[in-house]
Amino acid sequence: MGAATSSPCVFCEIMAGRAEASMPYQDDLVVVIMDINPVAPGDALVIPRVHAVGLHDLDEETGIHMWRIGHRLACALRRSGLRCEGVNMFLADGAAAFQQVFHVHLHVFPRYDGDGFRLHVVTTVRERHLLNQDASILREAMNGPQTIASRRP
């Protein structure tokens, strides 16, 4: 899923202390760093300490913890005094999903009217029988063998 690269992972470099970061939170599983290219002041990234290119490489417990910390961060943004009328959480998994750094991470950023952030989405109504087919396919995939990452002890 990830793009091959010869340069070191910037997030791994940060966790190894070889690159700078402003870190409002860290624990044994994740670190939170301020985004160097923020959507708005307060824009932060929740990053697992273990290098995982995408969600398929990440164990489920660490993934759950990332979202738990993301939730705490979103609530903190609302209390912080930073301009925050809303919060977005965004995780890009793969190049087609606009992932740019191939170490899974969760963006948590404050939103306010006029902040300039936009998503252009084109949707179409999908017929019920097709939705039912999709649901069946996903049900089977969710009940089937899990990835290696999710089976780690």
Side-chain angles (χ1 to χ4, degrees):
M1 181 186 288
T5 179
S6 60
S7 59
C9 170
V10 65
F11 294 157
C12 289
E13 291 293 297
I14 288 168
M15 284 179 263
R18 293 186 294 265
E20 288 185 322
S22 299
M23 212 175 287
Y25 178 85
Q26 60 181 310
D27 63 28
D28 291 342
L29 295 177
V30 301
V31 297
V32 175
I33 66 170
M34 304 311 297
D35 195 327
I36 197 165
N37 295 303
V39 169
D43 186 343
L45 309 172
V46 181
I47 308 165
R49 287 187 180 275
V50 62
H51 182 81
V53 172
L55 288 172
H56 65 285
D57 297 314
L58 189 66
D59 67 277
E60 190 173 270
E61 289 306 312
T62 302
I64 290 167
H65 188 67
M66 284 178 61
W67 286 94
R68 180 178 293 120
I69 298 305
H71 178 261
R72 287 177 54 191
L73 182 58
C75 293
L77 281 168
R78 295 268 194 176
R79 294 189 305 267
S80 70
L82 293 169
R83 188 169 182 192
C84 181
E85 298 165 10
V87 175
N88 273 128
M89 295 176 138
F90 183 80
L91 191 146
D93 187 27
F98 308 111
Q99 184 176 5
Q100 294 177 331
V101 176
F102 290 92
H103 181 132
V104 68
H105 55 286
L106 174 64
H107 291 260
V108 182
F109 53 96
R111 299 297 310 278
Y112 53 86
D113 190 37
D115 63 18
F117 180 80
R118 300 287 175 264
L119 291 174
H120 176 73
V121 179
V122 178
T123 64
T124 58
V125 174
R126 193 144 164 87
E127 294 179 27
R128 179 59 52 198
H129 77 279
L130 296 173
L131 292 170
N132 289 340
Q133 283 179 346
D134 295 346
S136 177
I137 291 166
L138 288 174
R139 187 179 310 108
E140 185 176 327
M142 289 181 76
N143 291 325
Q146 301 298 307
T147 63
I148 292 170
S150 66
R151 287 184 266 156
R152 289 183 196 148

